Amino acid sequence: MARSAPVLLSFRRTFALLLVLVVLPSAGLSGFGVLAIINERAAVEKRLQVAWAGTLDQLSEELLLTLQKARFVEGPDGLALVSGEGQRLSESAFRFKEGRLDVGDPALRGALEAALPAIGTLPARIVFFSLAVDRSAVMLATERTGGNVRGVRLSVEKLERALEAAVSDTAIGNEPVHYSLLPVVARRERGEGLVGKLVSEVVQVRESALGPSVLAEEVLSPPLQDFRLAVVSTGEDPVARASTRNRVVYSVVLGLFYLTLTFGVIYTARTLYREARLSRMKTDFVSLVSHELRTPLTSIRMFIETLALGRVKNPEDSAQVLNLLMGETERLSSLIERVLDWSRIESGRKLYQRELVPVGALVDKAVAAFTTQRRDAAVNLDVQVAADVPLVSVDIDAIAGALLNLLQNAFKYSGEDKRITLIARGRGRWVKLIVQDHGVGIAPRDRKRIFERFYRVDNLLTRRTEGSGLGLAITRKIVEAHGGRISVESEVGKGSRFTIKLPAEKS
């Protein structure tokens, strides 16, 4: 575990840099997206306000023109205000005579009592104005004659019907709408910041759901400033529909962005970790190969110095030293050749000379090389080649070398029990070469990684055993280059079973 600490530390630094350079700016971009979603309703309302601006101006002018043509009429029902076409525009009347207010509407009485000082100074003509009453408003028409004032409360509904009749051809688009005169209500100021905007948005949506769907509005000019002329949708709220559609689009885009970002960060993190681990493995490999090269070189130099100084007088001792020198030389040559093989395989310069080969000849070549290398070792090798095994089209030297790697591993990791079984048999489209030992076995967590380059199982036996961590990686590359597969079955303490599957040639 201590060996992987620098790898993890380097990976954490790099991943932290990735978060700073990618995730934080992305979070800021997402914040802008959230603000765009919040402000979408306001943007839609602004577009509708611009679209309806001309119509609202025309409606305001029409309302003023209608009121200018109106006149007071005394009838059986009392005082009333009628339009130029004779349409009644008022709903209740009042009089102010000799300092006394005569009005039957209690709500209207309260508004008039508050405005009595101003009513006495009205000009001697018909005057229209509005008064605010709590969260509502009233629209009045008055006429002063001497010290007396008579007046009426205008009917908002009748004024709206008059506007509908006058400008019925001014609708924008196909939206069903209604023109309304609504009181001007003081609106709560929007809070600053993201939280304030969110709260304001929730309040606005709730008001839109409970009240009329106002598409556009315009406050009337004084003295009718307590009313606003509004375009109200009578069908589905187009503001809600448009803003909801755009919010869905924004949400989907943000979701895809976050999904892509998450995938990219995970993929990049895995790549960074893999590269950091690979860099560490390469460093370990260089250290391991240096150690493995130093051992035979030291032995070779010692044997040469012994012969050069004439310390060996007996011919039998000289022959023994020469044999040991030859063994160390073969060991050094094998290690160098393995590294060169891996370099050629990784760079794509490894060429295979394929030919039709009997499986028995392939097995004999691997066994001969193995027994030559282990001629002084006590090994029990059982070779079983089926009689009906078909031919294979392979590079005999490459596949024999791969099989030799498996035999050498079986010997090195067998502990005291050096029983090894080599089986060759054909089944269907495949030829199987099986190497089975009775050694220490491989833990489940290591089985998927033993074919990786430079990887070695970390246990007491492997630490005592020479190796570069390239044998199984080279074997897998060679087998896969021939269209085959290699697999392993193992149980800790009971041995391992490696299987090479090669495509069989048709008869």
Side-chain angles (χ1 to χ4, degrees):
M1 266 320 245
R3 294 175 56 190
S4 63
V7 178
L8 292 176
L9 186 60
S10 176
F11 167 72
R12 287 169 181 168
R13 282 204 204 99
T14 308
F15 189 67
L17 182 62
L18 174 68
L19 290 178
V20 172
L21 296 181
V22 177
V23 177
L24 292 183
S26 301
L29 179 62
S30 301
F32 283 114
V34 172
L35 287 177
I37 292 175
I38 293 173
N39 294 328
E40 181 57 28
R41 184 179 182 90
V44 174
E45 290 177 346
K46 184 66 175 178
R47 290 195 294 269
L48 289 174
Q49 182 71 32
V50 173
W52 284 96
T55 301
L56 290 175
D57 290 339
Q58 181 181 351
L59 287 171
S60 298
E61 294 175 1
E62 188 65 32
L63 176 62
L64 292 176
L65 184 60
T66 300
L67 293 178
Q68 289 173 2
K69 293 180 180 180
R71 65 187 186 278
F72 281 110
V73 175
E74 291 285 354
D77 298 331
L79 182 66
L81 184 73
V82 297
S83 65
E85 291 76 19
Q87 181 182 0
R88 186 184 178 99
L89 301 178
S90 60
E91 57 184 16
S92 60
F94 64 91
R95 294 180 185 274
F96 181 72
K97 185 176 181 180
E98 296 179 356
R100 189 172 63 87
L101 180 63
D102 182 14
V103 59
D105 188 347
L108 183 58
R109 176 182 292 275
L112 291 173
E113 287 178 349
L116 281 180
I119 291 177
T121 62
L122 293 174
R125 57 183 174 82
I126 298 179
V127 177
F128 300 94
F129 60 94
S130 62
L131 292 176
V133 182
D134 295 332
R135 294 183 60 85
S136 183
V138 293
M139 192 179 300
L140 305 175
T142 62
E143 184 180 34
R144 185 172 65 84
T145 304
N148 300 327
V149 178
R150 63 175 181 173
V152 292
R153 175 179 180 177
L154 298 180
S155 172
V156 173
E157 291 79 6
K158 293 176 181 178
L159 288 175
E160 290 174 353
R161 285 199 295 269
L163 291 176
E164 294 280 354
V167 290
S168 59
D169 58 343
T170 59
I172 302 296
N174 298 322
E175 295 291 342
V177 296
H178 172 65
Y179 305 106
S180 298
L181 288 169
L182 303 176
V184 175
V185 180
R187 297 188 177 183
R188 186 180 302 171
E189 293 293 330
R190 291 192 177 187
E192 295 295 331
L194 182 60
V195 176
K197 288 182 178 292
L198 283 171
V199 173
S200 177
E201 181 73 6
V202 172
V203 172
Q204 191 172 6
V205 170
R206 184 180 61 186
E207 291 177 351
S208 299
L210 298 177
S213 301
V214 178
L215 306 183
E217 61 183 11
E218 180 179 300
V219 178
L220 298 179
S221 57
L224 302 178
Q225 70 276 3
D226 296 307
F227 280 86
R228 53 193 170 108
L229 184 58
V231 181
V232 180
S233 174
T234 58
E236 182 183 1
D237 185 2
V239 177
R241 183 176 66 248
S243 59
T244 300
R245 181 182 65 247
N246 293 339
R247 289 176 186 182
V248 169
V249 173
Y250 289 157
S251 300
V252 170
V253 171
L254 278 177
L256 292 176
F257 170 75
Y258 268 120
L259 183 63
T260 305
L261 178 65
T262 302
F263 175 79
V265 169
I266 293 175
Y267 179 79
T268 304
R270 290 186 60 185
T271 303
L272 290 174
Y273 182 74
R274 185 168 61 249
E275 291 300 321
R277 187 166 55 86
L278 180 59
S279 176
R280 179 63 183 178
M281 290 169 61
K282 287 181 178 179
T283 303
D284 292 344
F285 169 72
V286 172
S287 176
L288 181 64
V289 169
S290 300
H291 173 73
E292 294 295 334
L293 289 174
R294 186 184 299 112
T295 302
L297 284 175
T298 301
S299 300
I300 290 172
R301 185 176 63 180
M302 182 186 66
F303 292 144
I304 292 176
E305 288 178 354
T306 300
L307 293 175
L309 295 175
R311 294 176 180 174
V312 180
K313 306 296 183 179
N314 192 335
E316 293 181 359
D317 293 338
S318 297
Q320 184 179 4
V321 170
L322 290 174
N323 287 332
L324 293 173
L325 185 60
M326 184 183 302
E328 292 298 321
T329 305
E330 289 178 355
R331 175 182 171 187
L332 180 61
S333 176
S334 174
L335 179 60
I336 294 174
E337 187 62 31
R338 178 166 294 182
V339 174
L340 292 176
D341 272 347
W342 177 256
S343 176
R344 286 190 290 267
I345 290 173
E346 281 288 272
S347 62
R349 294 183 288 107
K350 180 72 172 178
L351 300 178
Y352 299 98
Q353 304 296 329
R354 295 197 180 200
E355 56 181 325
L356 288 177
V357 178
V359 174
L362 176 64
V363 171
D364 291 341
K365 187 176 182 66
V367 170
F370 176 71
T371 54
T372 299
Q373 295 177 3
R374 305 294 177 181
R375 56 183 177 271
D376 296 330
V379 55
N380 182 6
L381 177 60
D382 180 19
V383 180
Q384 304 173 14
V385 180
D388 57 347
V389 181
L391 301 178
V392 289
S393 177
V394 296
D395 184 322
I396 186 171
D397 291 330
I399 295 298
L403 192 57
L404 176 60
N405 279 337
L406 296 183
L407 291 172
Q408 289 174 336
N409 280 353
F411 176 83
K412 288 189 293 185
Y413 302 115
S414 289
E416 298 297 329
D417 189 356
K418 298 296 184 181
R419 289 181 297 139
I420 302 174
T421 304
L422 173 57
I423 304 172
R425 60 170 180 250
R427 179 177 297 177
R429 298 185 300 108
W430 300 96
V431 170
K432 292 185 178 181
L433 301 174
I434 303 171
V435 176
Q436 183 172 355
D437 62 62
H438 299 80
V440 295
I442 304 171
R445 66 177 182 276
D446 296 317
R447 289 174 199 163
K448 294 182 179 180
R449 301 190 58 192
I450 57 173
F451 296 104
E452 295 179 6
R453 50 191 171 181
F454 315 132
Y455 183 80
R456 300 190 72 197
V457 177
D458 188 15
N459 57 40
L460 181 61
L461 181 58
T462 57
R463 287 194 290 269
R464 294 176 177 176
T465 305
E466 64 182 36
S468 60
L470 285 177
L472 289 178
I474 293 176
T475 300
R476 185 185 68 173
K477 289 285 187 179
I478 292 174
V479 172
E480 290 178 349
H482 287 78
R485 296 194 297 269
I486 184 170
S487 60
V488 61
E489 301 173 15
S490 183
E491 187 175 349
V492 177
K494 295 185 178 181
S496 303
R497 179 186 180 95
F498 286 85
T499 302
I500 295 176
K501 293 177 64 177
L502 296 172
E505 286 295 312
K506 296 181 178 178
S507 301

mmCIF file of all heavy atoms in Angstrom, residues 43-59:
data_model
loop_
_atom_site.group_PDB
_atom_site.id
_atom_site.type_symbol
_atom_site.label_atom_id
_atom_site.label_comp_id
_atom_site.label_asym_id
_atom_site.label_seq_id
_atom_site.Cartn_x
_atom_site.Cartn_y
_atom_site.Cartn_z
ATOM 1 N N ALA A 43 -39.152 37.713 -19.440
ATOM 2 C CA ALA A 43 -38.794 37.962 -20.837
ATOM 3 C C ALA A 43 -40.004 37.781 -21.750
ATOM 4 O O ALA A 43 -40.235 38.567 -22.674
ATOM 5 C CB ALA A 43 -37.662 37.024 -21.252
ATOM 6 N N VAL A 44 -40.792 36.725 -21.488
ATOM 7 C CA VAL A 44 -41.992 36.493 -22.295
ATOM 8 C C VAL A 44 -42.990 37.633 -22.100
ATOM 9 O O VAL A 44 -43.598 38.131 -23.059
ATOM 10 C CB VAL A 44 -42.624 35.138 -21.933
ATOM 11 C CG1 VAL A 44 -43.947 34.940 -22.661
ATOM 12 C CG2 VAL A 44 -41.665 34.004 -22.294
ATOM 13 N N GLU A 45 -43.167 38.084 -20.843
ATOM 14 C CA GLU A 45 -44.075 39.203 -20.571
ATOM 15 C C GLU A 45 -43.611 40.473 -21.285
ATOM 16 O O GLU A 45 -44.418 41.247 -21.807
ATOM 17 C CB GLU A 45 -44.161 39.441 -19.068
ATOM 18 C CG GLU A 45 -44.893 38.351 -18.311
ATOM 19 C CD GLU A 45 -44.888 38.581 -16.819
ATOM 20 O OE1 GLU A 45 -44.084 39.442 -16.371
ATOM 21 O OE2 GLU A 45 -45.645 37.914 -16.101
ATOM 22 N N LYS A 46 -42.296 40.679 -21.326
ATOM 23 C CA LYS A 46 -41.769 41.857 -22.004
ATOM 24 C C LYS A 46 -42.071 41.809 -23.500
ATOM 25 O O LYS A 46 -42.465 42.828 -24.106
ATOM 26 C CB LYS A 46 -40.256 41.932 -21.764
ATOM 27 C CG LYS A 46 -39.602 43.177 -22.348
ATOM 28 C CD LYS A 46 -40.082 44.424 -21.652
ATOM 29 C CE LYS A 46 -39.343 45.655 -22.164
ATOM 30 N NZ LYS A 46 -39.832 46.892 -21.523
ATOM 31 N N ARG A 47 -41.900 40.624 -24.102
ATOM 32 C CA ARG A 47 -42.194 40.499 -25.533
ATOM 33 C C ARG A 47 -43.667 40.764 -25.819
ATOM 34 O O ARG A 47 -44.024 41.429 -26.806
ATOM 35 C CB ARG A 47 -41.781 39.107 -26.025
ATOM 36 C CG ARG A 47 -40.283 38.876 -26.062
ATOM 37 C CD ARG A 47 -39.934 37.650 -26.879
ATOM 38 N NE ARG A 47 -40.418 36.425 -26.267
ATOM 39 C CZ ARG A 47 -39.701 35.697 -25.417
ATOM 40 N NH1 ARG A 47 -38.485 36.100 -25.057
ATOM 41 N NH2 ARG A 47 -40.183 34.586 -24.908
ATOM 42 N N LEU A 48 -44.548 40.228 -24.965
ATOM 43 C CA LEU A 48 -45.978 40.465 -25.162
ATOM 44 C C LEU A 48 -46.334 41.931 -24.935
ATOM 45 O O LEU A 48 -47.196 42.490 -25.628
ATOM 46 C CB LEU A 48 -46.776 39.574 -24.207
ATOM 47 C CG LEU A 48 -46.775 38.074 -24.539
ATOM 48 C CD1 LEU A 48 -47.464 37.292 -23.438
ATOM 49 C CD2 LEU A 48 -47.467 37.823 -25.869
ATOM 50 N N GLN A 49 -45.669 42.551 -23.951
ATOM 51 C CA GLN A 49 -45.924 43.964 -23.695
ATOM 52 C C GLN A 49 -45.581 44.817 -24.918
ATOM 53 O O GLN A 49 -46.334 45.720 -25.298
ATOM 54 C CB GLN A 49 -45.095 44.428 -22.492
ATOM 55 C CG GLN A 49 -45.309 45.876 -22.087
ATOM 56 C CD GLN A 49 -46.670 46.106 -21.457
ATOM 57 O OE1 GLN A 49 -47.207 45.234 -20.805
ATOM 58 N NE2 GLN A 49 -47.224 47.288 -21.676
ATOM 59 N N VAL A 50 -44.461 44.502 -25.546
ATOM 60 C CA VAL A 50 -44.069 45.235 -26.762
ATOM 61 C C VAL A 50 -45.061 44.982 -27.885
ATOM 62 O O VAL A 50 -45.430 45.889 -28.638
ATOM 63 C CB VAL A 50 -42.638 44.826 -27.166
ATOM 64 C CG1 VAL A 50 -42.270 45.428 -28.521
ATOM 65 C CG2 VAL A 50 -41.632 45.275 -26.104
ATOM 66 N N ALA A 51 -45.508 43.709 -28.005
ATOM 67 C CA ALA A 51 -46.437 43.363 -29.090
ATOM 68 C C ALA A 51 -47.788 44.071 -28.931
ATOM 69 O O ALA A 51 -48.417 44.451 -29.931
ATOM 70 C CB ALA A 51 -46.629 41.850 -29.143
ATOM 71 N N TRP A 52 -48.225 44.249 -27.669
ATOM 72 C CA TRP A 52 -49.540 44.845 -27.426
ATOM 73 C C TRP A 52 -49.474 46.347 -27.172
ATOM 74 O O TRP A 52 -50.520 46.983 -26.919
ATOM 75 C CB TRP A 52 -50.205 44.187 -26.217
ATOM 76 C CG TRP A 52 -50.762 42.823 -26.498
ATOM 77 C CD1 TRP A 52 -50.159 41.636 -26.266
ATOM 78 C CD2 TRP A 52 -52.041 42.529 -27.047
ATOM 79 N NE1 TRP A 52 -50.968 40.596 -26.640
ATOM 80 C CE2 TRP A 52 -52.146 41.123 -27.131
ATOM 81 C CE3 TRP A 52 -53.120 43.300 -27.492
ATOM 82 C CZ2 TRP A 52 -53.265 40.483 -27.624
ATOM 83 C CZ3 TRP A 52 -54.247 42.650 -27.989
ATOM 84 C CH2 TRP A 52 -54.312 41.258 -28.063
ATOM 85 N N ALA A 53 -48.302 46.952 -27.245
ATOM 86 C CA ALA A 53 -48.163 48.364 -26.893
ATOM 87 C C ALA A 53 -49.032 49.256 -27.775
ATOM 88 O O ALA A 53 -49.740 50.154 -27.288
ATOM 89 C CB ALA A 53 -46.694 48.789 -26.994
ATOM 90 N N GLY A 54 -49.031 49.012 -29.089
ATOM 91 C CA GLY A 54 -49.831 49.836 -29.995
ATOM 92 C C GLY A 54 -51.313 49.715 -29.727
ATOM 93 O O GLY A 54 -52.055 50.717 -29.738
ATOM 94 N N THR A 55 -51.775 48.499 -29.464
ATOM 95 C CA THR A 55 -53.191 48.281 -29.184
ATOM 96 C C THR A 55 -53.615 48.980 -27.900
ATOM 97 O O THR A 55 -54.699 49.586 -27.818
ATOM 98 C CB THR A 55 -53.478 46.772 -29.090
ATOM 99 O OG1 THR A 55 -53.112 46.150 -30.322
ATOM 100 C CG2 THR A 55 -54.939 46.509 -28.807
ATOM 101 N N LEU A 56 -52.771 48.915 -26.858
ATOM 102 C CA LEU A 56 -53.098 49.567 -25.595
ATOM 103 C C LEU A 56 -53.158 51.082 -25.750
ATOM 104 O O LEU A 56 -54.014 51.749 -25.152
ATOM 105 C CB LEU A 56 -52.069 49.173 -24.530
ATOM 106 C CG LEU A 56 -52.124 47.724 -24.043
ATOM 107 C CD1 LEU A 56 -50.987 47.435 -23.096
ATOM 108 C CD2 LEU A 56 -53.461 47.430 -23.381
ATOM 109 N N ASP A 57 -52.244 51.638 -26.548
ATOM 110 C CA ASP A 57 -52.316 53.089 -26.794
ATOM 111 C C ASP A 57 -53.631 53.465 -27.484
ATOM 112 O O ASP A 57 -54.283 54.467 -27.129
ATOM 113 C CB ASP A 57 -51.135 53.518 -27.669
ATOM 114 C CG ASP A 57 -49.816 53.451 -26.911
ATOM 115 O OD1 ASP A 57 -49.859 53.462 -25.669
ATOM 116 O OD2 ASP A 57 -48.755 53.380 -27.568
ATOM 117 N N GLN A 58 -54.033 52.646 -28.439
ATOM 118 C CA GLN A 58 -55.295 52.914 -29.147
ATOM 119 C C GLN A 58 -56.479 52.797 -28.203
ATOM 120 O O GLN A 58 -57.428 53.606 -28.249
ATOM 121 C CB GLN A 58 -55.438 51.944 -30.323
ATOM 122 C CG GLN A 58 -56.703 52.159 -31.145
ATOM 123 C CD GLN A 58 -56.813 51.167 -32.287
ATOM 124 O OE1 GLN A 58 -55.872 50.432 -32.570
ATOM 125 N NE2 GLN A 58 -57.974 51.140 -32.920
ATOM 126 N N LEU A 59 -56.451 51.789 -27.310
ATOM 127 C CA LEU A 59 -57.536 51.607 -26.355
ATOM 128 C C LEU A 59 -57.616 52.787 -25.374
ATOM 129 O O LEU A 59 -58.708 53.243 -25.014
ATOM 130 C CB LEU A 59 -57.347 50.300 -25.583
ATOM 131 C CG LEU A 59 -57.623 48.999 -26.354
ATOM 132 C CD1 LEU A 59 -57.173 47.810 -25.524
ATOM 133 C CD2 LEU A 59 -59.090 48.883 -26.704
#
